[in-house]
Amino acid sequence: MIEMLASRYTYVLLFVLLGIGIYMVIASENLVKKLIGVNLFQTAIFLFFISMAYIDVEGASAPIVPHEANPGELLVASPLPQVIVLTAIVVGIALTAVGLALIIRIYAEYGTLREDTLREVRADE
Amino acid sequence: MSSVDLIPPLLIVVPLLAATLPIALGLWFDRAGWPVAAVTTIGLFGAAVALASVVYADGQVTHTLGGYPRTYGIELVADQYSTLIALLVTGVAVGVLAYTRRGGPRGNTFYTAYLLLVGGLLGITMTGDVFNLFVFLEITSIATYALVASGDGPESAVAALKYLILGTVAASMYLIGVAFLLMATGTLNMIELATAIPAAERPTLIRTAFGFIVVGFAVKVAQWPLHTWQPSAYQQAPDGVTPIIAALVSTASAYAFGRLIVTVFGVDYLTAMPNAASIVLVVGCVSVLAGTVLAVIQTEVKRMLAYSSVSQFGLVIAAYGVVIGGNSGAAETALIGATVHLVGHGLLKAGLFLAAALVATSYGARTVDEYAGLAKHRPVVAGAMAVLLLSLVGVPPGVGFVGKWYIALGAVQSELWPVAGVIFLSTMLTLAYAARLLEKMYFTPSRAVSSPAGGPVATDGGSDGDGRDETAADGPGSDDTISAASSGGDPAAVSVGMVAVVVVAALCAVALGFAGGTFADLLEPFLTEVIR
């Protein structure tokens, strides 16, 4: 068990990051921290994709086409996950922007960023 | 034929590009949004009809983007299943525009978000690539968050943020599932996955992927207990926005889930997977019961209809469970039922939310009690609403009956008695909340309290001064903009187009109910391909 975890340490780290992200989403009362938690959660998934590109390919390098002057045999990682992550990062940025815009609006209306205070303010109305 | 396979990419690209026009033209014209959106969606509907005529005559149409082969490139596929949803999306998009001309939120940015939403939804229906599906799910979601937040009050921003956080986590769950699929098979194309998944060397990865995907879609489709974002989002969204969100966003997600089950994982593979069928069945059945019970106890009409969506989508998910867990003949029947119910429910919910918006604008009624005497004062709208409600309950010949009938038939054929029982029980409970509304509309005389200013003839939308400021403000707040376009008469009165679209929705619900057998014929080639 320990050996398996040690040989797969990247995955262990990634799922710890994933757990931190989801914990922040659930437990944090601050709306901005919640959004950061969502971002951490997504980042862990992106890293999962990237580390996956190197699976089964020991000692692979980044998927960049070798220069014509040096056309040696080159072991490269799969470029597909890396392309995917680029797209997913763009999606994540758009989501963060929309989320922050909503948080700004909520702050302007209720004057708080904390969810518990927000609940009290709304219950009073 | 070469021009036909250009329709799927155009269905996605045209709305996404047209979405930039309202903002760009807005620099010169104040009201550029509606014409742009109307021309685009009507064009899209025409294209979808043209595509459907080819697909149902000659079989599926595919297009590989940029000519890249399947493994690396993205493929767009229009087959019998996806074309049906594309027709629903474009049809409802045209119908809701007829409402927003006078009633909905105005402004060019609204139409930008609207077109982005339509583009994302059509992308979900057409794509043949599981990662591309994630991207379109997120395009749809981002547009939806913006639309929900476009309500007048601060409550809508809170509802949208709640939706955003839950929806993003759900989409990320789906993305983890995609990562596991890629890890196990090395491809993202749906057709290639269908052959690669049964041959995968590490089935544990596939099972993990399925688990994550089920959780992700359970949130996106609003299944109990992950539905909590949905009622507040539907209730707080502006009246013109709720119909399109309620009719299409969860429907497209449910379609995508069905696509993953029947095309990507394959019915055979999932039947062999331990517990897959029972998980999907239990999620669906529990949602059916929880959704209807919660709908019965609501007092706000929009919130009641929102909880009713939880239960109706529960039926669709339960039907997917029957597809996986049932025997072969029943699987086919249940899949027809799920598809008919998706289309029918989309149409019904669009009509019902439009009618609710109409009543709120013209009559000022938002709670069930305030609907008292509606039939006397607004006979056309009340009649259309009654037809839609009865169809939702499952009274033949409404389209709601056809979907439920096929799903229940599938459950009975494969001897999944609890599922059949849940369907019948939920029909009773649906009748309970539909009848409450019908009783108020037709058999309770209106009270003077509900419309103080001159009773029946009062048509100003703000007549219920009881603190529902953010949504009731729609009417009076938009008076000045309406009066410019209004052809005389009451400024806040509803336009003919707004009433007409509700009536058309009710007529379609009945007509599609008669056409139930046609659905089965249209889907037949697809069904024989994917089910054993």
Side-chain angles (χ1 to χ4, degrees):
Chain A
M1 185 65 189
I2 301 290
E3 262 177 47
M4 196 198 80
L5 287 181
S7 64
R8 298 265 190 278
Y9 65 95
T10 43
Y11 294 136
V12 175
L13 288 177
L14 293 181
F15 276 87
V16 168
L17 192 59
L18 204 72
I20 294 173
I22 198 87
Y23 176 77
M24 279 177 77
V25 173
I26 295 168
S28 176
E29 293 284 355
N30 189 308
L31 293 175
V32 177
K33 284 187 187 167
K34 256 187 207 293
L35 203 63
I36 292 174
V38 171
N39 272 330
L40 271 183
F41 189 70
Q42 286 191 318
T43 308
I45 300 170
F46 301 158
L47 290 172
F48 179 42
F49 266 102
I50 293 174
S51 65
M52 186 168 58
Y54 293 90
I55 195 172
D56 300 335
V57 198
E58 286 290 324
S61 66
I64 298 169
V65 178
H67 194 263
E68 280 179 29
N70 183 20
E73 288 274 319
L74 194 59
L75 195 60
V76 295
S78 164
L80 191 63
Q82 319 219 352
V83 176
I84 283 172
V85 166
L86 271 182
T87 317
I89 286 173
V90 175
V91 172
I93 289 171
L95 278 164
T96 312
V98 174
L100 287 174
L102 291 174
I103 289 176
I104 289 173
R105 176 134 179 248
I106 291 172
Y107 186 71
E109 298 276 0
Y110 293 107
T112 180
L113 284 175
R114 288 185 62 82
E115 209 178 33
D116 42 2
T117 325
L118 193 64
R119 225 174 280 130
E120 285 167 23
V121 173
R122 289 167 66 202
D124 289 343
E125 277 180 1
Chain B
M1 273 306 160
S2 62
S3 61
V4 169
D5 67 345
L6 281 177
I7 294 181
L10 283 177
L11 278 177
I12 300 166
V13 171
V14 166
L16 292 184
L17 287 181
T20 60
L21 287 179
I23 286 184
L25 292 175
L27 296 173
W28 294 284
F29 310 103
D30 283 343
R31 304 182 55 124
W34 194 83
V36 170
V39 169
T40 314
T41 45
I42 289 171
L44 290 174
F45 183 61
V49 170
L51 183 65
S53 67
V54 175
V55 166
Y56 292 122
D58 306 332
Q60 68 176 37
V61 174
T62 58
H63 180 93
T64 49
L65 284 180
Y68 288 101
R70 217 177 238 171
T71 319
Y72 316 107
I74 294 166
E75 196 179 31
L76 300 176
V77 182
D79 60 12
Q80 287 84 359
Y81 190 27
S82 59
T83 311
L84 210 55
I85 307 294
L87 279 174
L88 173 78
V89 169
T90 50
V92 171
V94 172
V96 173
L97 270 183
Y99 177 87
T100 58
R101 175 89 176 88
R102 288 274 293 276
R106 264 172 221 81
N108 294 321
T109 43
F110 164 72
Y111 291 103
T112 294
Y114 190 89
L115 287 172
L116 278 178
L117 177 66
V118 173
L121 290 166
L122 286 170
I124 293 177
T125 60
M126 290 291 153
T127 187
D129 180 288
V130 284
F131 179 73
N132 204 231
L133 179 63
F134 164 77
V135 175
F136 281 120
L137 271 176
E138 286 300 72
I139 291 177
T140 308
S141 302
I142 290 172
T144 314
Y145 308 146
L147 284 172
V148 170
S150 68
D152 291 328
E155 285 288 318
S156 61
V158 178
L161 188 69
K162 191 176 175 188
Y163 186 9
L164 183 140
I165 287 173
L166 266 169
T168 308
V169 172
S172 303
M173 291 281 188
Y174 171 69
L175 192 59
I176 298 177
V178 170
F180 277 114
L181 280 184
L182 179 64
M183 208 169 172
T185 62
T187 179
L188 290 168
N189 185 279
M190 288 185 184
I191 312 266
E192 293 202 344
L193 276 173
T195 50
I197 282 178
E201 288 167 18
R202 288 174 289 184
T204 319
L205 288 180
I206 311 262
R207 278 177 214 159
T208 318
F210 186 70
F212 276 109
I213 287 174
V214 167
V215 175
F217 275 107
V219 179
K220 285 273 174 195
V221 185
Q223 293 298 286
W224 194 89
L226 302 171
H227 69 283
T228 49
W229 59 267
Q230 193 237 36
S232 51
Y234 283 12
Q235 192 191 2
Q236 301 300 338
D239 284 346
V241 168
T242 316
I244 189 154
I245 295 179
L248 299 180
V249 174
S250 290
T251 306
S253 300
Y255 155 80
F257 188 43
R259 169 66 72 187
L260 286 168
I261 285 178
V262 296
T263 303
V264 175
F265 287 96
V267 176
D268 285 336
Y269 189 79
L270 288 179
T271 308
M273 191 192 286
N275 294 332
S278 42
I279 289 171
V280 179
L281 272 175
V282 168
V283 168
C285 289
V286 170
S287 300
V288 171
L289 292 178
T292 31
V293 169
L294 286 167
V296 169
I297 61 174
Q298 297 303 316
T299 52
E300 282 247 334
V301 173
K302 271 175 94 174
R303 215 172 166 82
M304 184 181 93
L305 292 175
Y307 277 111
S308 138
S309 282
V310 174
S311 79
Q312 300 292 327
F313 281 116
L315 265 180
V316 173
I317 301 296
Y320 291 149
V322 176
V323 170
I324 302 172
N327 49 39
S328 65
E332 212 164 288
T333 320
L335 190 56
I336 295 174
T339 316
V340 174
H341 204 69
L342 272 184
V343 176
H345 172 261
L347 197 69
L348 292 173
K349 271 289 145 64
L352 280 170
F353 274 112
L354 279 172
L358 245 172
V359 173
T361 317
S362 72
Y363 196 62
R366 289 190 177 278
T367 62
V368 175
D369 287 339
E370 287 169 356
Y371 271 57
L374 184 74
K376 203 171 163 194
H377 309 307
R378 302 276 177 286
V380 178
V381 177
M385 204 164 183
V387 170
L388 290 167
L389 277 173
L390 288 175
S391 183
L392 187 72
V393 174
V395 175
V399 67
F401 166 74
V402 184
K404 272 188 190 175
W405 169 254
Y406 276 116
I407 296 172
L409 195 64
V412 170
Q413 278 174 353
S414 41
E415 299 185 343
L416 292 164
W417 301 113
V419 182
V422 163
I423 294 173
F424 296 132
L425 187 61
S426 87
T427 306
M428 295 299 137
L429 286 166
T430 311
L431 186 63
Y433 62 75
R436 211 150 56 97
L437 205 54
L438 289 173
E439 192 267 339
K440 283 285 176 209
M441 289 196 304
Y442 280 93
F443 302 113
T444 310
S446 61
R447 285 174 299 174
V449 194
S450 63
S451 42
V457 286
T459 46
D460 54 326
S463 61
D464 65 329
D466 57 356
R468 257 172 281 282
D469 50 341
E470 71 274 14
T471 29
D474 262 355
S478 48
D479 279 356
D480 43 350
T481 29
I482 288 180
S483 55
S486 150
S487 57
D490 200 328
V494 290
S495 68
V496 180
M498 284 158 77
V499 180
V501 73
V502 176
V503 174
V504 167
L507 291 178
C508 283
V510 177
L512 283 180
F514 282 113
T518 323
F519 279 112
D521 292 341
L522 292 178
L523 282 170
E524 188 59 41
F526 174 72
L527 293 173
T528 44
E529 192 184 319
V530 295
I531 292 176
R532 286 173 269 246

